[in-house]
Amino acid sequence: MEATKEAKPVANKIKLGHVHFSGCTGCLVSVADIYQGLLKILDDYADLVYALTLVDVRHIPEMDVALVEGSVCIQDRESVEDIKETRKKSRIVVALGSCATYGNITRFCRGGQHNQPQHESFLPIGDLIDVDVYIPGCPPSPELIRNVTVMAYLFLEGNEEQKALAGRYLKPLMALAKRGTTGCFCDLMNDVINQGLCIGCGTCAASCPVRAITHEFGKPQGDLNLCVKCGSCYGACPRSFFNFDVIPEFESISELIADALR
Amino acid sequence: MVSDPYLGKYTTCISARSTDREILKKAQDGGIATTLMVYALEEGIIDGVIVAGEGDLPWKPRPFVAMSRKDILKAQKAKYNISPQISWIKEATRSFGLDKVGVTGVCCQIQAVRKAQLYPINMRDVPGKIAFVVGLFCMENFLYDSIQAIVEDHTNQSLSSVKKMRIGKGKFQVYTERGNVATAPLQATHKYGQPGCYVCLDYVSNLGDISTGSVGSPDGWSTVFVRTRVGNDIWSKAVDAGLFETKPIEEVKPGLELVMKLAKIKLDGNRKTLEERRNFGVNKALRDPYA
């Protein structure tokens, strides 16, 4: 009997990790909801070197890309050490989901609950370490996580052309990381409507996970008491970022990503 | 494939009108958007489409998900004020249970769709379920109160008596049910434009699978750009099925030249606005979404 050999040489996989802070694991579920695409990514492009939910590796190892979920409780010493360790061990730190990017629901924490009533202050990871890329969303879309993972691979392991494309693709998500660590419906007021940029397209209302946004005479109307401060609406808005060097290439880029996962 | 800095990428540009008499009766121009979406629905290319239907006030559009020919036809005619089309894009894949979503809208709304496809932020399932996108040409849009002021004050017509509105030949034209035609010079409407429109860098819906509009073709006809592989496929099948009369754009007046002229006016003007925003304050800029 002949021994079967792996048909495709698997070389230069990047090291991918999932680091869990004060999150709900919903972001990791979104990663898993890439479905067979995730298996393809793990077959050909990335080794999952760390993820307490899935892998029996106890301590944070060296990673090319760290997908970091959840915010950080600054009264929890271990969490604070872990986020610093994550930055030290990773080439690219991705804030995965709205808790890591903007604090999200943990913005409302104020302690006083058993059995750590003093655990009252939670910060998005960007307030403690430099973050390279944001994937906002509560939950984050599996498709965006997939795109960022494929692009990060191309950025680190691709040829010059692929590197350039990946750089262009990731740029607005890097710019979001530079912009700040707060997300809210008010982003639409402060940075879109107040800036004379809103065109009433309705995208913000579609993206809001809690239906806090409606449109009155074509303009966003936010129910601030419903808003969980996930920052999705501003991210999805075509007048937050609209990069003409990428989005008009939607046909070829969608194909490239589909091909990579075929 | 033509790649034009003002007209976007396209494979063909034609002048066309629907052969469906029922659709033509109420169409704004050549009935292209309606006919294409009805065809796509009947062929199973889409199973629903976001259109601009009638709202709770006369001539106020309301976006909704149409899943029948009858409902698509309810959205005919241009309404010159905001219809937040994209607000339904995720819901179409949720409670409506659609697998193949069609979208109609103006340039910025088509941009929103493409952004959601490449950068889905809280838009799960949307990227893979966009099946067919038809974009309309758009110079600028108005707010509802603007349209009220233009129609009721400038053209002196009652909004509820209006059968059709058109912008063409430098005029805002209003046609009433009883046969009256009233116009206002376009110059007088400029102050009512939606501010966000003045940074828009797209005139002929560059990112649609197919885009269509009135400019360039004679009355009752539309100018059509066929752009993507999806668009090409659907267009050629629809033409083969006898759904459209077509003429090469080169053979019609005023033709592509006027489209180009207006595209230049819009894009160059708005680029200037963007430039001015960079020095809007004293050592302070307004935000540039394209930076």
Side-chain angles (χ1 to χ4, degrees):
Chain A
M1 212 173 108
E2 215 176 320
T4 51
K5 251 169 124 186
E6 196 166 28
K8 208 170 172 184
V10 182
N12 300 332
K13 281 163 105 178
I14 60 170
K15 293 194 197 78
L16 183 69
H18 172 259
V19 193
H20 201 298
F21 289 93
S22 295
C24 71
T25 330
C27 292
L28 185 63
V29 172
S30 286
V31 175
D33 282 351
I34 305 172
Y35 299 124
Q36 62 271 50
L38 177 64
L39 300 180
K40 176 72 176 176
I41 288 170
L42 295 180
D43 274 346
D44 290 4
Y45 308 116
D47 280 322
L48 189 64
V49 295
Y50 181 73
L52 289 176
T53 314
L54 301 167
V55 187
D56 193 18
V57 173
R58 306 297 177 90
H59 300 287
I60 298 169
E62 300 276 335
M63 292 173 280
D64 292 310
V65 177
L67 300 173
V68 182
E69 163 177 357
S71 61
V72 180
C73 174
I74 60 173
Q75 285 89 20
D76 180 44
R77 199 170 50 87
E78 200 182 348
S79 291
V80 175
E81 277 168 17
D82 276 359
I83 190 65
K84 291 180 186 169
E85 184 71 2
T86 303
R87 178 68 272 185
K88 212 184 295 170
K89 293 280 182 67
S90 319
R91 287 170 78 185
I92 299 174
V93 170
V94 179
L96 173 62
S98 291
C99 289
T101 53
Y102 299 125
N104 202 27
I105 198 75
T106 66
R107 284 287 185 198
F108 297 87
C109 293
R110 45 29 159 187
Q113 287 182 310
H114 278 301
N115 57 357
Q116 299 284 358
Q118 80 287 10
H119 279 190
E120 64 178 22
S121 315
F122 293 75
L123 289 173
I125 64 168
D127 284 342
L128 296 170
I129 61 165
D130 287 327
V131 178
D132 302 300
V133 176
Y134 270 13
I135 299 181
C138 180
S141 308
E143 298 90 342
L144 184 57
I145 304 170
R146 174 197 69 190
N147 293 359
V148 167
T149 312
V150 170
M151 289 297 177
Y153 171 80
L154 293 179
F155 189 73
L156 295 171
E157 294 294 336
N159 60 33
E160 286 310 308
E161 200 185 323
Q162 291 167 327
K163 262 184 196 157
L165 171 71
R168 285 201 303 278
Y169 178 87
L170 294 170
K171 196 176 152 215
L173 302 174
M174 295 167 76
L176 282 180
K178 289 264 180 302
R179 176 173 165 267
T181 57
T182 53
C184 178
F185 167 80
C186 6
D187 293 339
L188 295 179
M189 303 193 295
N190 299 339
D191 284 357
V192 184
I193 303 167
N194 293 173
Q195 285 281 329
L197 294 170
C198 177
I199 26 83
C201 66
T203 310
C204 49
S207 76
C208 178
V210 295
R211 299 179 202 238
I213 306 174
T214 51
H215 280 71
E216 296 292 327
F217 291 96
K219 296 290 157 171
Q221 178 77 22
D223 189 334
L224 286 163
N225 282 329
L226 275 183
C227 173
V228 292
K229 300 194 175 285
C230 70
S232 300
C233 51
Y234 178 76
C237 170
R239 289 290 171 82
S240 58
F241 69 86
F242 193 89
N243 42 343
F244 274 110
D245 57 347
V246 174
I247 298 176
E249 306 302 320
F250 65 93
E251 222 184 351
S252 62
I253 294 177
S254 303
E255 237 163 69
L256 178 136
I257 292 168
D259 281 347
L261 297 179
R262 197 155 285 142
Chain B
M1 176 74 77
V2 184
S3 191
D4 185 279
Y6 289 95
L7 306 178
K9 283 196 249 180
Y10 61 95
T11 51
T12 46
C13 178
I14 40 267
S15 188
R17 77 171 168 191
S18 177
T19 54
D20 187 319
R21 282 164 168 269
E22 191 199 3
I23 288 175
L24 273 184
K25 221 185 289 171
K26 282 191 174 172
Q28 179 78 9
D29 299 299
I32 305 298
T34 307
T35 307
L36 278 171
M37 283 305 173
V38 167
Y39 173 74
L41 187 75
E42 286 170 351
E43 291 299 305
I45 296 160
I46 58 170
D47 45 20
V49 51
I50 302 171
V51 296
E54 276 177 28
D56 52 2
L57 293 168
W59 290 94
K60 182 174 171 227
R62 179 183 61 93
F64 75 102
V65 181
M67 296 191 286
S68 67
R69 173 186 164 102
K70 201 172 120 231
D71 277 352
I72 294 175
L73 263 61
K74 280 185 194 160
Q76 287 194 277
K77 285 190 193 162
K79 296 126 195 127
Y80 291 102
N81 62 109
I82 304 162
S83 177
Q85 299 289 91
I86 311 306
S87 56
W88 287 98
I89 203 165
K90 193 163 74 180
E91 196 59 28
T93 71
R94 299 296 195 275
S95 55
F96 290 86
L98 303 188
D99 289 320
K100 295 169 276 186
V101 180
V103 185
T104 59
V106 288
C107 324
C108 56
Q109 298 169 331
I110 309 307
Q111 291 182 337
V113 175
R114 301 315 185 187
K115 178 174 171 181
Q117 283 187 282
L118 281 188
Y119 296 97
I121 296 177
N122 236 311
M123 286 284 191
R124 182 176 174 166
D125 295 339
V126 170
K129 293 194 174 183
I130 301 298
F132 185 31
V133 178
V134 173
L136 307 172
F137 301 178
C138 178
M139 188 53 101
E140 65 177 323
N141 203 353
F142 298 96
L143 301 150
Y144 186 73
D145 278 32
S146 309
I147 225 64
Q148 214 172 12
I150 293 166
V151 172
E152 294 185 349
D153 302 345
H154 289 265
T155 74
N156 272 315
Q157 302 303 313
S158 152
L159 260 179
S160 50
S161 74
V162 174
K163 191 171 75 177
K164 186 173 183 170
M165 298 180 203
R166 262 196 103 195
I167 294 175
K169 304 185 178 79
K171 290 191 177 88
F172 194 101
Q173 306 158 350
V174 172
Y175 301 78
T176 68
E177 296 282 1
R178 293 203 302 258
N180 190 22
V181 184
T183 64
L186 213 47
Q187 196 63 36
T189 69
H190 282 330
K191 68 173 177 184
Y192 298 113
Q194 173 177 231
C197 295
Y198 301 130
V199 295
C200 174
L201 300 179
D202 190 341
Y203 175 50
V204 287
S205 273
N206 293 355
L207 304 188
D209 290 315
I210 292 175
S211 46
T212 178
S214 66
V215 174
S217 291
D219 286 357
W221 288 69
S222 299
T223 302
V224 179
F225 290 96
V226 184
R227 299 182 181 281
T228 63
R229 206 169 315 144
V230 169
N232 269 298
D233 191 44
I234 297 173
W235 181 257
S236 56
K237 280 183 189 154
V239 170
D240 287 348
L243 294 183
F244 295 109
E245 286 179 71
T246 62
K247 290 178 189 169
I249 192 72
E250 296 76 20
E251 288 172 21
V252 303
K253 292 272 172 208
L256 212 48
E257 208 175 310
L258 183 65
V259 184
M260 182 60 103
K261 188 180 144 201
L262 292 176
K264 274 193 173 136
I265 289 174
K266 174 170 179 177
L267 270 58
D268 291 346
N270 289 354
R271 283 209 181 92
K272 212 174 134 224
T273 307
L274 279 161
E275 188 61 47
E276 285 161 6
R277 289 172 62 93
R278 281 184 207 133
N279 296 301
F280 200 81
V282 180
N283 296 326
K284 297 277 180 187
L286 295 180
R287 206 170 64 74
D288 181 354
Y290 312 123

